[in-house]
Amino acid sequence: MKVLVPVKRVVDYNVKVRVKSDQSGVDIANVKMSMNPFDEIAVEEATRLKEAGTVTEIVAVSCGVSQCQETLRTAMAIGADRGALVETDVELQPLAVAKLLKALVDKEQPQLVIMGKQAIDDDANQTGQMLAALLDWPQATFASKVEVEGDQVKVTREVDGGLETISLKLPAVITTDLRLNEPRYVTLPNIMKAKKKQLDVVKPDELGVDVTPRLKTLKVAEPAPRAAGIMVPDVATLVDKLKNEAKVI
């Protein structure tokens, strides 16, 4: 079984994000970038399936600038067998990424796509669902457990009321949640091995996909600073303030 794992290059989750002075977007100049944490979980899960003998090949793919090759090398250090980069300087939005991934799926013919449920930069949570719709494949989002059984995959997913277990017929699209696994520490020997693994680079035009943005960001602003808390003498005052000042009850 071949598995396709999309990975995205984002601002590292430990970095405090700063808005540009002209409010046109987030400042990423001289900022540490890394793999989207949810995608890292997806790579780890694919690697575990391979170690269990269920998966034979893992292909990591990324869409974006040339520096995304570093992200793909990290994925290959975790366990991906090879990588593919769709290189473009255009700002990619979820639908464009989904179309690029569909073109790669048509080319690679994987039986399973495992990807993060969302990226921590735009928090869109759209690409996996869009990809499943474009492919007309079954999908399971927010997976906290994945079990492949023959031509079926059983997925336990996190929902508002608790957990839901569903069975999908392969091929399928799965998006990962935080509690699916804990990604392994990438060792130096594996990083060195990853440098020798195959990494193909293509352009969106070669895949026949138009990645022109359909949405325009008008303004990006930091959230208002949180007001300091206040002490109240009794419950009656608390209820009065919640009702008349905060207007939440």
Side-chain angles (χ1 to χ4, degrees):
M1 178 193 294
K2 181 190 289 187
V3 175
L4 195 78
V5 185
V7 296
K8 185 177 184 181
R9 179 176 181 263
V10 299
V11 175
D12 189 88
Y13 70 93
N14 286 313
V15 173
K16 178 175 171 55
V17 175
R18 300 185 183 278
V19 176
K20 292 181 179 178
S21 58
D22 60 0
Q23 295 188 314
S24 61
V26 173
D27 186 5
I28 59 173
N30 301 316
V31 171
K32 182 184 177 183
M33 308 290 283
S34 60
M35 186 190 303
N36 178 46
F38 291 103
D39 298 340
E40 195 173 359
I41 291 169
V43 178
E44 174 66 26
E45 189 64 22
T47 303
R48 293 187 184 189
L49 289 172
K50 185 180 178 184
E51 290 171 346
T54 305
V55 170
T56 54
E57 184 182 21
I58 303 170
V59 183
V61 301
S62 189
C63 307
V65 295
S66 60
Q67 289 90 334
C68 290
Q69 292 187 37
E70 300 169 10
T71 308
L72 287 170
R73 293 294 179 193
T74 301
M76 288 187 278
I78 294 173
D81 297 291
R82 56 188 176 91
L85 170 63
V86 183
E87 187 177 350
T88 176
D89 292 328
V90 177
E91 178 195 351
L92 293 174
Q93 295 172 351
L95 181 59
V97 175
K99 289 181 176 180
L100 291 172
L101 293 177
K102 179 186 182 299
L104 290 172
V105 168
D106 292 341
K107 179 182 177 183
E108 294 286 348
Q109 294 294 306
Q111 286 72 53
L112 188 62
V113 176
I114 304 179
M115 59 196 299
K117 69 172 184 176
Q118 66 193 73
I120 61 172
D121 52 1
D122 56 18
D123 274 332
N125 182 20
Q126 295 175 338
T127 307
Q129 292 88 326
M130 288 177 170
L131 176 61
L134 291 171
L135 291 168
D136 196 23
W137 284 9
Q139 62 175 308
T141 55
F142 317 138
S144 61
K145 187 177 181 180
V146 176
E147 299 172 276
V148 179
E149 302 169 347
D151 64 345
Q152 303 274 334
V153 56
K154 189 162 69 173
V155 179
T156 301
R157 55 189 304 269
E158 300 191 357
V159 295
D160 291 341
L163 298 176
E164 175 186 60
T165 301
I166 59 177
S167 180
L168 310 176
K169 187 173 182 180
L170 297 174
V173 176
I174 296 174
T175 69
T176 62
D177 214 329
L178 275 176
R179 280 157 288 280
L180 178 58
N181 61 54
E182 184 175 341
R184 68 194 64 190
Y185 177 77
V186 181
T187 62
L188 182 59
N190 286 335
I191 292 173
M192 300 307 292
K193 289 177 185 176
K195 292 181 179 180
K196 298 180 181 179
K197 291 184 179 180
Q198 178 183 344
L199 198 162
D200 302 318
V201 180
V202 296
K203 300 288 186 181
D205 294 344
E206 297 175 46
L207 298 173
V209 177
D210 178 17
V211 294
T212 304
R214 287 169 166 74
L215 303 174
K216 181 181 179 181
T217 301
L218 301 179
K219 185 175 74 170
V220 176
E222 292 187 14
R226 297 179 66 175
I230 59 172
M231 300 290 289
V232 293
D234 50 44
V235 174
T237 307
L238 173 63
V239 172
D240 178 68
K241 288 184 176 294
L242 289 174
K243 185 176 181 179
N244 299 313
E245 293 183 20
K247 298 187 185 302
V248 293
I249 60 173

